[in-house]
Amino acid sequence: MSSDFRPGSPNWIGLGSPDLAESGLFYGSVFGWTLDRPGPNGYAFFRSGGRTVAGTGPLTEVEALPAWTVYFAAADAAGAAAAVGRSGGTVRVPPTEVPGQGRFAQLTDPVGGRFAVWQGGGTAGLEAVGGPGELCWAELRTSDVPRTLRFYRGLFDWRTGESDVPGAEYTVLRPADGGEEFGGVAGVHPRVDAGWLVHFAVADALLTTDEVRRLGGSVVVPPERVPGVGRTAVLADPFGAQFALLEPEPRR
């Protein structure tokens, strides 16, 4: 994943949390992040080495559950929101201006996957991705892969291809201009929440999983090796927000 945020590629992730201070302590211990003091709107930034790696804010939507949200780069947030509405999706939060920084909209695809778009202004997106403790992959679990792919191809003009992992039914995603792979789409998993799942790069998925468990989180899918990819695990923080780890396979 690259911080050269091309149209349709992930450029931000945000955590909805019922307790920002507790979330800050948890993710700080797991990934070494620090949490800034929240602004007037209650939003705060996670940083690693002084660079922004995620955002977090209070739960503001009715019946919202703690969860991570993936934002995709959009040249026009209002246009993207309108296109979602025309394509059978839902606009949960209409295009909203963040003064001096950009615009966002919170959306849901026609199968129920929640996501958002960010139209960069003063802030193009995250300051660090791909490294240890940083966003490195975005994966969508959906009950209707063909319909979901048609929706996102129409919205972002993504390029897609099949995974070369033996036996895997997995579609790999690239931006419209054919840049680096940034995520994938697969069918539902019996233990993983449907929707978008953020992956963070780690040096040792086994040790990080143990740390998550020690801090009150839970193991959804224990660490397992994926040929040609590395070791992955799906976990949940103490409030139930799911996320994944990726320990990349060493390059030869």
Side-chain angles (χ1 to χ4, degrees):
M1 184 173 289
S2 169
S3 58
D4 178 20
F5 300 121
R6 304 183 182 200
S9 65
N11 63 347
W12 193 265
I13 52 173
L15 171 68
S17 169
D19 190 322
L20 269 61
E22 287 299 318
S23 292
L25 291 173
F26 173 81
Y27 288 100
S29 296
V30 173
F31 296 125
W33 296 349
T34 58
L35 180 63
D36 286 356
R37 185 184 300 276
N41 61 353
Y43 203 79
F45 301 103
F46 285 115
R47 302 189 193 274
S48 178
R51 299 188 297 175
T52 305
V53 292
T56 184
L59 299 171
T60 57
E61 296 182 54
V62 177
E63 298 182 351
L65 298 174
W68 284 94
T69 297
V70 180
Y71 291 67
F72 297 96
D76 181 0
V84 166
R86 291 193 301 269
S87 302
T90 303
V91 179
R92 302 192 326 275
V93 178
T96 303
E97 188 81 19
V98 180
Q101 303 304 315
R103 302 182 80 196
F104 73 93
Q106 299 273 0
L107 312 163
T108 303
D109 68 38
V111 186
R114 294 188 168 205
F115 69 104
V117 293
W118 175 254
Q119 176 186 337
T123 298
L126 300 174
E127 294 177 339
V129 297
E134 299 167 2
L135 176 69
C136 66
W137 194 253
E139 179 178 282
L140 177 60
R141 291 283 178 170
T142 176
S143 60
D144 191 334
V145 171
R147 183 184 182 192
T148 299
L149 286 174
R150 286 195 299 271
F151 169 80
Y152 286 103
R153 285 194 191 108
L155 181 62
F156 295 122
D157 195 25
W158 284 343
R159 301 294 181 257
T160 58
E162 295 306 307
S163 167
D164 56 6
V165 176
E169 294 184 4
Y170 196 91
T171 301
V172 177
L173 307 173
R174 294 178 183 271
D177 62 4
E180 295 183 29
E181 296 174 353
F182 63 78
V185 177
V188 294
H189 187 286
R191 297 190 299 278
V192 179
D193 292 341
W196 286 97
L197 180 68
V198 299
H199 288 57
F200 298 107
V202 294
D204 191 319
L206 296 173
L207 288 178
T208 305
T209 297
D210 287 343
E211 180 71 357
V212 166
R213 187 185 291 112
R214 185 185 72 81
L215 293 165
S218 56
V219 179
V220 180
V221 180
E224 56 186 4
R225 189 168 295 282
V226 179
V229 176
R231 185 178 280 123
T232 67
V234 181
L235 311 170
D237 69 22
F239 298 114
Q242 293 188 358
F243 62 98
L245 308 178
L246 173 57
E247 175 192 334
E249 194 167 271
R251 295 188 178 185
R252 297 179 179 179

